[in-house]
Structure formats: structure tokens, C-alpha cells
């Protein structure tokens, strides 16, 4: 099977195929960039862009970002609302075009950073092409809804590249910016601490204080800035039997592919759909909330220790790339709310694992990769049914296991330097 895959990849490396993919990317990126803008002009459809515009306008008008008497219309950290104020100043149509263009820049950077981290000489190489084709539904979802998933991935990959080049201050600042946009990348700080990237960890914390508290003061004032952070923290950092954060029913619905959503949905009698009445259930067990959380904690400890065990003592560029890819999958798995568009983060882990399968010819890696691709395919064919049972969660988990095995085995082989 690996031999056939190699033949297929050789065909993709032909000059004609490379030109075709280059043209395809340009056409796809241009279409994705313009479609939300044209759609809004034609029909007024604005998806999540509506929420971003309202948040930006609220900041411009000095209003409350997080109304205390109602469910938050905007759930991201207050700095994110501040950053949205500038494009919102130019009107909704212009803001949609600006944000979709930003997604395109981020997509190009994701490809560029992935290529460098994998030690590839060309941007257009077969593993990255195949990975991008696989995650293209999630790429489109980011444009369609207006989500910043590609921007967050570009910031994280940029941080990893900065670590490789010993620019820890920049690495911490990039992760802090990602956290200020959407909080879950903060999980990367555990990796910084374990790997003794002390400067990166301190830089992350200092930059986060600046972004959350100091930067907004000239625009929001000290009292309102502190109130924004306090209100967001009280409303969003909640995990209860009834749900997660400000979308309790959705937190345990089929749309949430994190370990918190999947475990509660499959091990507890909660509805798989926040919009369906009467409720629909898919649980294979009927455990109480406390027991489910014990399962989640045990899984977290098991996966965390497996990651630590897989890490080689001596760092190499190739080993770093595998660590970064495994870290991305773990962050996805343990993000409290992980909806489909976030799984564009699998772009780099997929590309790296495809390359490893072609180079190392390990059957276990091929099996895990095939399982992940099968689950992603099932998600594309029957998205609701597949995601009820955690198809994206288990796809990320399969990729993590393969990467951890690659990391562990390569750490035992001195002189192994292939990405």
C-alpha cells in the first residue's frame, strides 16, 4: 500500500500536476475570499461576521461587550473585540472582505510555516498538498462562517518556528496573541514549561497582560477594561452539568468534538442536538457527571504522560516538528468547545504524518493515518451522524497516537533527521 502511495505522490510531483495545483490554489483562495463578501452584497447573509461587526461597533460606541442580563452575543476575549473595532469602523461589507482576506494570508502562512517546519525545500510538496485537500472543508468553513481558525493556526505555527530559531520572546508573544483572540491556545504554556522554554513562557504571560489589560485602557478606560475581563471570565470559564460556557446545550451537542463534548454525549444521557425537540440521545453508558469527569481526567493524564514519554531528551529539528504536530492535536482534543472549523489545525499533523509514512514505512503510522482519513471522509459524507460519535475527535486522536509513536521510535534512532 505504501508503494502505491509513493507512486501516487510521484505523479503529484510532476511539473504538470504542480502547475495544476498552483492554479487550483489561486482559484480556490480567490473564490473563498470573495464569496462571503459577494454573498453579503447579494443577499445580506453574514453568518458569524454579524457577531464580529456588532462586537467591533460596541467597542467603537463604548458599550458593554458582555451584557450581564443575557447570554453573551460575543464569547471571545475582550481584546478580540478591540481588534475587530478597526475593520468594523469601515462598515460590515468592508469588514467581511478584510477578515476573509486575512484568512487567505493566514492560509498561505500556514502552508509556508508547515513547509519550513517539515524541512521541505518547496512550498508545493506532496504531503502539504494532500493535507490541504483533506482539510479543505474546514478551510472553507472558516471563510463561510468568518471564524479565525486559520489565523490561530498561523500564529501557533509561527510560534513553533520561532522556538526552532531560538526566538522565544516572539514565540510567547505569538501564542499570547492567539490566546487574546480565542483563549484555548493557552494550553501551549504547559509545553513551554516542560521543555524549559522559560523565556517563551514568561513572554506569553507578559504579552497576555499587555493585550488583555494595558492595550484596551486607552480605548475602554481602566474600569471598563477590568470589567470586560471579569465579565468574560465569569461567563465563559464555566463547565457544569448543564453545559459549557455560554452555550450550555450546544456544549454537549454533536457539534462539539472536544473530549468534554464527546465524553458527556456518549457516557451521559444528554441530547446530541441543541435544536432538536424532542431530544435525541446516543449515549452508550449512563454515568453521572462526576464519573464522566473522572474518565476525562484519567484520559488527560494518560495522554499527557504518553506525550512526555514520547518526547526524546535530545531535541532535533525533525523531533521538534513531530512534537509541535502532536501538541496541536492534543490542544484540539482538550479544547472545551471544539467545533468543526477548528479541525483545520490538522493540516500540519496530517502533512507531517503523510511524509513520515512515505519515508519511514511504519505500518502502525499508516494504519492510524488511514483511520483518521476514514473518519474525516465519514464526516464529509454524513456530518451529523459521524460527529455524534466523535468522528473528528477520534481522527485527531488517531493522528496523535501515530505522531507519538513516530516521536518515540525516532528518539531511539541516533542520527535520524528526516522531518
Amino acid at each position: 500500500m505504501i508503494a502505491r502511495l509513493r507512486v501516487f505522490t510521484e505523479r503529484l510531483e510532476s511539473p504538470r500536476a504542480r502547475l495544476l495545483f498552483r492554479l487550483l490554489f489561486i482559484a480556490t483562495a480567490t473564490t473563498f475570499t470573495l464569496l462571503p463578501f459577494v454573498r453579503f452584497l447579494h443577499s445580506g447573509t453574514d453568518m458569524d461576521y454579524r457577531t464580529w461587526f456588532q462586537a467591533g461597533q460596541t467597542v467603537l460606541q463604548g458599550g458593554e461587550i458582555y451584557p450581564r442580563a443575557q447570554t453573551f452575543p460575543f464569547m471571545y476575549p475582550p481584546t478580540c473585540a478591540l481588534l475587530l473595532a478597526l475593520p468594523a469602523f469601515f462598515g460590515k461589507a468592508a469588514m467581511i472582505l478584510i477578515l476573509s482576506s486575512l484568512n487567505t494570508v493566514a492560509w498561505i502562512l500556514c502552508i509556508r510555516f508547515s513547509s519550513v517546519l517539515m524541512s521541505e525545500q518547496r512550498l508545493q510538496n506532496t504531503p502539504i498538498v494532500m493535507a490541504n485537500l483533506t482539510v479543505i472543508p474546514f478551510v472553507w468553513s472558516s471563510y463561510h462562517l468568518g471564524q479565525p481558525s486559520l489565523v490561530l493556526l498561523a500564529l501557533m505555527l509561527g510560534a513553533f518556528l520561532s522556538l526552532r530559531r531560538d526566538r522565544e520572546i516572539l514565540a510567547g508573544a505569538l501564542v499570547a496573541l492567539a490566546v487574546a483572540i480565542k483563549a484555548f491556545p493557552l494550553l501551549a504554556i504547559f509545553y513551554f514549561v516542560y521543555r524549559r522554554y522559560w523565556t517563551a513562557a514568561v513572554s506569553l504571560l507578559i504579552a497576555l497582560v499587555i493585550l488583555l489589560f494595558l492595550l484596551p485602557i486607552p480605548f475602554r478606560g481602566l474600569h471598563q477594561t477590568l470589567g470586560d475581563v471579569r465579565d468574560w471570565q465569569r461567563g465563559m470559564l464555566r463547565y457544569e452539568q448543564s453545559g459549557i460556557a455560554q452555550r450550555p446545550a450546544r456544549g454537549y451537542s454533536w457539534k462539539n468534538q472536544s473530549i468534554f463534548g464527546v465524553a458527556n454525549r456518549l457516557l451521559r444521557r444528554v441530547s446530541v442536538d441543541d435544536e432538536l425537540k424532542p431530544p435525541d440521545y446516543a449515549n452508550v453508558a449512563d454515568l453521572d457527571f462526576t464519573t464522566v469527569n473522572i474518565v476525562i481526567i484519567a484520559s488527560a493524564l494518560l495522554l499527557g504522560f504518553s506525550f512526555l514519554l514520547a518526547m526524546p531528551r535530545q531535541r532535533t529539528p525533525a523531533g521538534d516538528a513531530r512534537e509541535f504536530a502532536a501538541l496541536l492535536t492534543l490542544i484540539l482534543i482538550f479544547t472545551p468547545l471544539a467545533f468543526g472549523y477548528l479541525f483545520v489545525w490538522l493540516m500540519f499533523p496530517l502533512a507531517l504524518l503523510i511524509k513520515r509514512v512515505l519515508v519511514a514505512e511504519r505500518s502502525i503510522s499508516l494504519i492510524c493515518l488511514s483511520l483518521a482519513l476514514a473518519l474525516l471522509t465519514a464526516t464529509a459524507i454524513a456530518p451529523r451522524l459521524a460527529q455524534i460519535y466523535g468522528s473528528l475527535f477520534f481522527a485527531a486522536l488517531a493522528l496523535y497516537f501515530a505522531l507519538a509513536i513516530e516521536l518515540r521510535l525516532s528518539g531511539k534512532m541516533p542520527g535520524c533527521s528526516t522531518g
Side-chain angles (χ1 to χ4, degrees):
M1 186 172 179
I2 294 178
R4 293 179 181 177
L5 184 60
R6 280 183 169 173
V7 172
F8 176 69
T9 57
E10 288 174 0
R11 292 178 180 175
L12 293 182
E13 290 288 350
S14 67
R16 180 177 297 180
R18 286 161 55 186
L19 176 61
L20 176 63
F21 280 120
R22 191 175 294 116
L23 295 175
L24 179 62
F25 176 80
I26 294 172
T28 303
T30 302
T31 302
F32 284 4
T33 302
L34 295 178
L35 198 54
F37 174 70
V38 173
R39 180 183 61 191
F40 173 73
L41 294 180
H42 181 262
S43 63
T45 304
D46 49 11
M47 309 305 289
D48 288 346
Y49 293 103
R50 178 194 314 113
T51 303
W52 314 151
F53 180 72
Q54 290 172 350
Q57 286 293 316
T58 298
V59 171
L60 292 172
Q61 296 165 11
E64 287 190 359
I65 302 174
Y66 310 105
R68 300 178 185 178
Q70 64 185 72
T71 300
F72 294 169
F74 180 80
M75 298 191 299
Y76 291 12
T79 305
C80 183
L82 184 66
L83 296 174
L84 288 167
L86 180 59
F89 174 80
F90 299 101
K92 187 181 290 187
M95 186 202 71
I96 291 173
L97 185 58
I98 290 170
L99 294 184
S100 61
S101 299
L102 184 60
N103 262 333
T104 299
V105 173
W107 190 7
I108 294 171
L109 289 176
C110 288
I111 294 172
R112 173 62 182 170
F113 293 159
S114 295
S115 178
V116 175
L117 286 168
M118 292 168 57
S119 302
E120 291 287 350
Q121 299 300 316
R122 292 184 296 101
L123 288 178
Q124 187 181 327
N125 58 81
T126 301
I128 291 180
V129 169
M130 295 175 68
N132 273 267
L133 290 174
T134 303
V135 301
I136 198 72
F138 308 129
V139 174
W140 163 239
S141 184
S142 297
Y143 283 91
H144 170 63
L145 297 174
Q147 284 290 331
S149 307
L150 284 165
V151 175
L152 297 175
L153 178 59
L155 290 170
M156 296 299 290
L157 293 177
F160 297 153
L161 190 57
S162 299
L163 288 179
R164 174 177 285 186
R165 295 177 175 178
D166 296 323
R167 299 176 180 174
E168 293 190 36
I169 294 176
L170 178 59
L174 290 174
V175 175
L177 181 55
V179 174
I181 295 173
K182 199 164 186 177
F184 72 90
L186 184 59
L187 293 172
I189 196 171
F190 294 107
Y191 175 76
F192 287 173
V193 171
Y194 179 79
R195 269 303 191 190
R196 298 184 180 181
Y197 290 120
W198 302 118
T199 303
V202 173
S203 172
L204 192 165
L205 295 175
I206 292 175
L208 199 54
V209 169
I210 293 172
L211 290 168
L212 287 178
F213 296 100
L214 300 183
L215 180 65
I217 288 176
F219 307 96
R220 302 284 289 171
L222 177 60
H223 178 74
Q224 201 166 30
T225 296
L226 295 176
D228 289 341
V229 176
R230 181 184 62 248
D231 292 341
W232 176 83
Q233 178 267 327
R234 288 177 178 173
M236 291 302 301
L237 303 185
R238 294 165 52 189
Y239 171 55
E240 303 166 335
Q241 186 169 342
S242 58
I244 303 172
Q246 289 284 303
R247 301 292 187 268
R250 181 170 296 183
Y252 299 142
S253 75
W254 63 273
K255 297 175 184 177
N256 186 11
Q257 293 294 295
S258 75
I259 192 171
F260 298 95
V262 173
N264 277 278
R265 188 164 61 246
L266 298 185
L267 301 180
R268 204 159 62 90
R269 191 167 175 78
V270 295
S271 179
V272 302
D273 199 321
D274 59 321
E275 299 175 353
L276 193 65
K277 297 189 181 304
D280 189 18
Y281 304 98
N283 54 303
V284 297
D286 192 8
L287 307 178
D288 58 67
F289 185 61
T290 301
T291 306
V292 170
N293 283 305
I294 291 174
V295 172
I296 293 173
I297 293 171
S299 301
L301 292 173
L302 180 62
L303 290 174
F305 281 123
S306 71
F307 188 37
L308 300 183
L309 185 64
M311 288 186 195
R313 293 184 179 180
Q314 295 183 347
R315 291 179 46 234
T316 64
D320 284 349
R322 292 170 208 145
E323 284 185 16
F324 299 151
L327 178 62
L328 286 177
T329 60
L330 286 179
I331 291 175
L332 271 182
I333 288 170
F334 289 103
T335 297
L337 294 171
F339 300 126
Y341 46 77
L342 275 183
F343 286 81
V344 73
W345 277 35
L346 296 182
M347 180 192 303
F348 178 57
L350 275 168
L352 186 59
L353 192 54
I354 290 170
K355 180 179 178 179
R356 292 301 304 157
V357 166
L358 292 173
V359 171
E361 298 187 13
R362 291 198 179 99
S363 298
I364 184 64
S365 297
L366 179 61
I367 291 171
C368 290
L369 176 62
S370 301
L371 176 59
L373 292 175
L375 290 168
L376 292 171
T377 302
T379 305
I381 295 173
R384 184 181 182 276
L385 178 62
Q387 291 182 79
I388 282 176
Y389 295 98
S391 57
L392 297 182
F393 167 81
F394 288 111
L397 192 62
L399 291 177
Y400 167 73
F401 281 136
L403 289 165
I405 291 170
E406 287 285 339
L407 195 57
R408 179 63 177 171
L409 293 179
S410 62
K412 295 180 178 180
M413 299 178 183
C416 181
S417 60
T418 306

